[in-house]
């Protein structure tokens, strides 16, 4: 069965471009080979594209419809909560930095109507969703979601916590480990300042120490590790999530934790597998500022699809 997702993205991107006037379209449209395409920037920095704040209602709605093609319903809800937290953060900072929930940018690289390789990105503070389409196949990494504040609570109750499951499942996994497995999993008493892959266009192929392998976990621990990986893959539409799950099925996974294991302190974890890197940190603002990312070190920004595409082109040229 043909994957409908590339066409859905093509239609949504075309609708976005059609909804923009000339100046806005000039800002959103870039050549596919533009260096800005291979960029992950989750900090509040200048970036390619056009800002949602500068679009009219039709342009903003078209951007959200494009973004929704890349995310499952629950991940889209997470993204919307993350964007709205900019107003909460701005208030907490005394309105000094002028943060706002429309300070997110959309860019299209290449021509979705004509090109066999093109990409798009919606990005801003704590959100970066990059999709690359090559020969009607979609590459969906890197995908970054963060939250500041990670949790808002009142009177002992949670008001907002967009990345709750990402923390809670990892803690449940730690709790399910026996002492030897936990000793292998906790690779450092101190958490790093940020995710280790950071904003690099290419993620590390391997980060040492690897931590504990799934083969050393009991049945409950292995099941929880599988659930944790599935949580990140299920940010994607079902077709993409199922494809990525099949790709890593049967491969060895490793889980590593850094920092204290008790709640309320700075902590970090990662999962590594065959061309898979998942990272989570909650290390700023005294453990109330979270980052999460799903990456494929050898295939971020569609590197594997593009390599196959270029090989096929060279074959035909030859």
């Amino acid at each position: 069965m043909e994957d409908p997702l590339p066409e859905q993205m093509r239609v949504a991107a075309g609708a976005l471009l059609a909804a923009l006037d000339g100046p806005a379209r000039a800002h959103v449209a870039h050549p596919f080979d533009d260096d800005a395409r291979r960029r992950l920037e989750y900090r509040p920095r200048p970036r390619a594209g056009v800002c949602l704040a500068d679009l009219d209602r039709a342009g903003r709605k078209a951007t959200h419809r494009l973004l929704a093609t890349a995310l499952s319903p629950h991940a889209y809800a997470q993204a919307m909560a993350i964007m709205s937290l900019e107003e909460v953060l701005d208030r907490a900072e005394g309105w000094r930095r002028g943060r706002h929930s429309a300070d997110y940018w959309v860019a299209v690289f290449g021509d979705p109507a004509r090109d066999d390789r093109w990409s798009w990105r919606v990005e801003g503070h704590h959100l970066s969703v990059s999709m690359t389409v090559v020969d009607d196949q979609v590459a969906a990494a890197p995908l970054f979601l963060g939250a500041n504040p990670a949790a808002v609570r009142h009177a002992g109750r949670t008001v907002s916590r967009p990345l709750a499951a990402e923390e809670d499942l990892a803690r449940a996994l730690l709790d399910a480990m026996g002492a030897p497995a936990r000793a292998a999993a906790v690779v450092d008493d101190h958490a790093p300042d940020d995710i280790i892959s950071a904003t690099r266009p290419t993620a590390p192929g391997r980060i040492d120490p690897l931590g504990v392998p799934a083969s050393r976990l009991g049945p409950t621990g292995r099941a929880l590790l599988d659930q944790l990986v599935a949580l990140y893959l299920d940010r994607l539409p079902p077709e993409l999530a199922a494809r990525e799950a099949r790709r890593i099925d049967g491969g060895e996974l490793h889980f590593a934790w850094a920092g204290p294991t008790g709640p309320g302190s700075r902590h970090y974890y990662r999962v590594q597998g065959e061309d898979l890197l998942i990272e989570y940190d909650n290390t700023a603002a005294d453990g109330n500022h979270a980052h999460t990312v799903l990456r494929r070190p050898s295939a971020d920004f569609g590197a594997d699809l593009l390599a196959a595409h270029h090989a096929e082109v060279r074959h035909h040229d030859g």
Side-chain angles (χ1 to χ4, degrees), residues 182-202:
R182 181 184 282 221
V186 180
V187 297
D188 199 322
D189 293 335
H190 301 282
D193 291 336
D194 198 351
I195 55 174
I196 292 171
S197 60
T199 59
R200 299 184 183 95
T202 302

Side-chain angles (χ1 to χ4, degrees), residues 7-18:
E7 182 61 19
Q8 291 171 7
M9 289 186 178
R10 192 180 301 276
V11 170
L16 168 64
L17 293 172

Side-chain angles (χ1 to χ4, degrees), residues 87-122:
E87 305 294 349
V88 178
L89 181 59
D90 198 35
R91 175 177 179 169
E93 294 175 337
W95 317 107
R96 293 187 303 272
R97 299 187 62 176
R99 302 183 192 269
H100 59 90
S101 55
D103 192 12
Y104 291 83
W105 299 66
V106 57
V108 177
F109 301 89
D111 186 344
R114 297 180 176 86
D115 294 347
D116 52 12
R117 41 177 213 143
W118 64 283
S119 70
W120 62 269
R121 182 175 67 223
V122 173

Side-chain angles (χ1 to χ4, degrees), residues 49-67:
V50 64
C51 183
L52 268 64
D54 296 328
L55 298 180
D56 60 15
R57 181 173 180 172
R60 289 194 298 271
K61 197 62 184 177
T63 300
H64 281 288
R65 287 173 176 160
L66 177 60
L67 177 61

